[in-house]
Amino acid sequence: MNLISACIDKLGQDILQGTIQHIQLTFFAMGIATLIALPLGIYLTRCPWKGVVSAIMGITSVIQTIPSLALMAFIVLIFSVFSLPTIGTLPALVALVLYALLPILRNTYTGISQVDPTVIEVATGMGMKPLQVLFLVELPLSLPVIMAGVQISTVWTIGVATLCGLIGAGGLGDLIIKGLRSFQMDYVLAGTVPAAAMAILFDWILGRIETWLVPEGLRIDPSKTQEVTSCP
Amino acid sequence: MIIFEDVSKTFPNGFAAVKRLSLHVKEGETLVLLGTSGSGKTTTMKMVNRLLDPTEGSIQIYGADIMKQDPIALRRKIGYAIQDIGLFPHMTVAENIGVVPNLLSWSQDRIRSRIDELLGIVGLSPEEYRDRYPSQLSGGQRQRIGVARALAADPPVILMDEPFGALDPITREQLQNEFLDLESEIKKTILFVTHDIFEAVKMADRIALLHHGQLQQVATPSELVESPANAFVDDFLGRHRFQLSLLTKTLQSLVGDTWTGPHPFKDPTGPTLSPRASVIDALDLFKITRSSRIGVRHREKIIGYIEKPQLHDIIHELLNDERAPS
């Protein structure tokens, strides 16, 4: 117990600051990624050219296969070519957004694609306009799958955001890197434990939001399966 | 009412689903589009609410060419019911029924009372079922909601695509009977798609038999059964011909002549059937009740009686008919 309280006495301020930065990074990255991936995913379900669909899905999948550390490095190098800031929040955010895109994009696309075409035809046959079909039928029916994508993305982003310490964007990664360089376990733990706790907490919160958002009629049916995507 | 004029539909892949179809659906009748899969019956129906557009020919509703109308407005004036999977799983029973009234921006009060009225019409208690979800209903209940939903905005035309197809035989028959009762009250023009000749004979005022996109015959069920227009129709009836003959003979046709007076009989005792019931129903009832006569009841009034010997005569006649041509 003494060890923990001593650690908090010594590093409390750093932990608090790191956590706030970490939440900010995650929050903005997720916000931007969702704003891009959700409309893009919806567009892809309506895109008449299958080539475009597989190209965009392919590109996001490839981004996902790049190790997160390498992605950071690439972005810093590319930014330096265009003389953009190579240190701080901007390159970090870009990397996080790129990383967070895929699960949301893929789940939005598959979620909407898997809505029973008969249901859509009935909706159309009853006189719904295309946007009404989207908002009244397709999105509510694919919400569980889309939310699962957002959930996966968030947990990944919290993990990857620890690397942002490397390029001076702050966050809990800062503490871990300091601990690594100076061989101090308490620093490493002070970065790791809050990050892990945050991942668990956000996962839980998003789970609650999903339950709250997903229409009751869909929750009753336990056979509804969600897209499962493995962690990197 | 609905007029198909020389309508053809060829899909982009070259498949000709409907070929030069001309058909006149009369106001207030139930016209059944009958055929095997690939006969073009569903395609024909989907052209009415413009889920598909004909490649040639024209379709008119109330004398107005539907191709010149806004498809969204057109569809909201046409009731549409399909197999029970057509209910929106994320909406309650009330929300499902209220879809078209909501699209038409009715007031919430009006929608609510319409929903309760319709639930009453299809025989489900509003208090109990209003807030349920489709997954909490049985197949038969879902189908009732499907029918209620199609009726929601009181459209003059209703399209039904195998609405009872997913049900077990007992529930299906029950719903067919209920729908026949309902239909005699509401008097809608109904276009009904099925592949089941028994369902067609039961539900139809007239049947349009399609094969490979071509209309083979349009006739009342008894005409279709008694005088098939060509070899295909004859084949389609197949070995069910005798049964179908009995099915298409309604009690109405038997008592129609005997009952002339304006005052209906008043005899609440003994077994009764509706005038739309068939000779087969009468046979069943005779067997179950061992009664010597059955009352034919329209609403609460007895309009005539069927005696056992009458049925014997009918069957004799049919047996002789069957023998003659072959």
Side-chain angles (χ1 to χ4, degrees):
Chain A
M1 280 324 258
N2 284 338
L3 209 74
I4 294 174
S5 63
C7 179
I8 288 174
D9 275 350
K10 185 170 130 196
L11 296 170
Q13 201 59 39
D14 290 348
I15 293 175
L16 190 67
Q17 201 200 342
T19 308
I20 290 169
Q21 283 175 341
H22 210 95
I23 289 175
Q24 281 171 342
L25 277 171
T26 308
F27 187 80
F28 281 110
M30 281 308 297
I32 297 167
T34 310
L35 283 181
I36 297 171
L38 199 63
L40 186 61
I42 293 168
Y43 169 74
L44 288 185
T45 59
R46 275 139 179 77
C47 179
W49 303 288
K50 291 295 144 212
V52 174
V53 177
S54 44
I56 291 179
M57 291 304 227
I59 291 168
T60 46
S61 300
V62 167
I63 294 174
Q64 209 68 53
T65 61
I66 303 172
S68 35
L69 183 60
L71 188 69
M72 294 277 174
F74 279 131
I75 283 168
V76 168
L77 290 180
I78 292 167
F79 269 41
S80 74
V81 171
F82 294 99
S83 28
L84 290 163
T86 54
I87 281 180
T89 320
L90 188 67
L93 263 185
V94 171
L96 289 180
V97 168
L98 284 176
Y99 230 73
L101 276 181
L102 177 77
I104 309 177
L105 182 69
R106 189 164 60 192
N107 281 31
T108 304
Y109 179 76
T110 46
I112 293 179
S113 307
Q114 78 177 18
V115 173
D116 190 335
T118 333
V119 173
I120 295 171
E121 192 172 80
V122 172
T124 313
M126 290 173 79
M128 286 191 195
K129 295 173 185 163
L131 274 183
Q132 289 170 326
V133 176
L134 177 67
F135 284 104
L136 298 178
V137 179
E138 289 176 286
L139 281 179
L141 285 178
S142 49
L143 207 61
V145 183
I146 296 174
M147 280 305 294
V150 173
Q151 221 169 337
I152 293 163
S153 236
T154 307
V155 175
W156 286 10
T157 305
I158 292 171
V160 175
T162 50
L163 288 172
C164 294
L166 282 173
I167 52 173
L172 291 164
D174 257 359
L175 289 167
I176 300 174
I177 291 158
K178 262 184 210 158
L180 181 66
R181 289 197 180 130
S182 55
F183 269 74
Q184 295 186 82
M185 183 59 102
D186 48 358
Y187 270 91
V188 175
L189 284 177
T192 312
V193 175
M198 201 191 293
I200 293 168
L201 181 71
F202 275 49
D203 193 45
W204 181 79
I205 291 173
L206 284 167
R208 303 301 303 171
I209 293 176
E210 186 193 327
T211 323
W212 175 69
L213 272 180
V214 168
E216 202 188 333
L218 299 184
R219 266 179 270 149
I220 293 161
D221 185 2
S223 67
K224 262 271 169 317
T225 49
Q226 296 188 347
E227 167 109 338
V228 182
T229 322
S230 58
C231 250
Chain B
M1 177 75 220
I2 309 174
I3 299 169
F4 293 81
E5 238 169 74
D6 224 1
V7 172
S8 297
K9 171 71 188 175
T10 309
F11 284 102
N13 65 7
F15 176 67
V18 176
K19 297 169 198 155
R20 308 204 61 176
L21 174 84
S22 291
L23 186 64
H24 183 175
V25 187
K26 294 177 202 154
E27 175 135 28
E29 82 171 334
T30 302
L31 188 122
V32 172
L33 294 167
L34 175 66
T36 50
S37 52
S39 61
K41 54 190 193 305
T42 300
T43 308
T44 305
M45 163 175 285
K46 284 180 181 170
M47 286 191 285
V48 176
N49 63 358
R50 293 195 58 188
L51 284 173
L52 296 170
D53 283 335
T55 33
E56 272 169 69
S58 75
I59 300 171
Q60 294 168 16
I61 298 181
Y62 281 126
D65 187 343
I66 60 165
M67 294 306 291
K68 295 186 181 124
Q69 297 177 40
D70 171 33
I72 303 289
L74 174 77
R75 287 170 191 151
R76 291 177 184 176
K77 286 186 287 189
I78 298 176
Y80 189 42
I82 63 163
Q83 284 187 17
D84 67 342
I85 42 173
L87 290 186
F88 301 126
H90 60 297
M91 294 186 190
T92 61
V93 164
E95 287 165 344
N96 263 292
I97 298 176
V99 166
V100 178
N102 265 311
L103 292 175
L104 293 169
S105 315
W106 288 15
S107 76
Q108 288 307 307
D109 279 346
R110 188 177 167 205
I111 294 175
R112 214 169 300 126
S113 63
R114 180 64 176 155
I115 288 166
D116 287 359
E117 184 190 351
L118 283 163
L119 282 172
I121 288 176
V122 298
L124 297 171
S125 124
E127 289 73 32
E128 197 177 334
Y129 290 97
R130 201 190 284 131
D131 298 320
R132 292 216 189 167
Y133 286 93
S135 54
Q136 297 167 307
L137 302 175
S138 71
Q141 289 167 341
R142 278 205 285 270
Q143 206 45 68
R144 286 190 177 90
I145 305 302
V147 170
R149 189 174 68 170
L151 295 171
D154 206 15
V157 178
I158 296 174
L159 308 179
M160 308 185 90
D161 191 352
E162 308 235 3
F164 309 129
L167 302 174
D168 64 84
I170 293 168
T171 316
R172 184 188 309 161
E173 193 172 340
Q174 192 187 345
L175 258 84
Q176 287 169 341
N177 291 336
E178 282 174 20
F179 188 71
L180 282 174
D181 286 347
L182 174 63
E183 192 227 311
S184 63
E185 312 273 316
I186 56 175
K187 276 295 156 214
K188 302 282 182 190
T189 305
I190 298 167
L191 205 55
F192 190 111
V193 163
T194 184
H195 63 265
D196 177 357
I197 178 133
F198 290 99
E199 183 166 72
V201 159
K202 183 159 191 177
M203 308 306 288
D205 291 317
R206 287 192 305 151
I207 296 174
L209 183 61
L210 293 163
H211 182 58
H212 288 327
Q214 275 167 331
L215 186 62
Q216 305 294 319
Q217 186 172 7
V218 196
T220 64
S222 55
E223 279 167 16
L224 189 86
V225 174
E226 303 303 330
S227 41
N230 58 34
F232 174 78
V233 182
D234 203 38
D235 268 2
F236 196 88
L237 301 173
R239 56 198 176 79
H240 304 301
R241 204 167 293 123
F242 182 67
Q243 217 177 333
L244 288 166
S245 299
L246 292 176
L247 265 178
T248 51
K249 226 171 198 64
T250 60
L251 301 189
Q252 176 95 67
S253 69
L254 296 180
V255 298
D257 307 318
T258 57
W259 176 60
T260 46
H263 298 292
F265 297 86
K266 280 187 179 139
D267 181 6
T269 60
T272 59
L273 281 170
S274 100
R276 284 199 72 149
S278 70
V279 172
I280 291 215
D281 298 322
L283 283 171
D284 266 350
L285 201 60
F286 274 125
K287 186 158 187 222
I288 296 165
T289 61
R290 306 196 165 277
S291 164
S292 63
R293 66 175 195 176
I294 291 174
V296 180
R297 188 174 65 176
H298 183 56
R299 310 217 174 166
E300 294 314 307
K301 297 162 184 171
I302 303 286
I303 60 168
Y305 285 99
I306 307 285
E307 312 268 342
K308 236 181 206 171
Q310 274 178 282
L311 294 188
H312 292 161
D313 295 345
I314 291 167
I315 292 168
H316 272 295
E317 250 173 65
L318 282 173
L319 283 174
N320 295 332
D321 270 3
E322 291 295 305
R323 262 185 231 134
S326 60

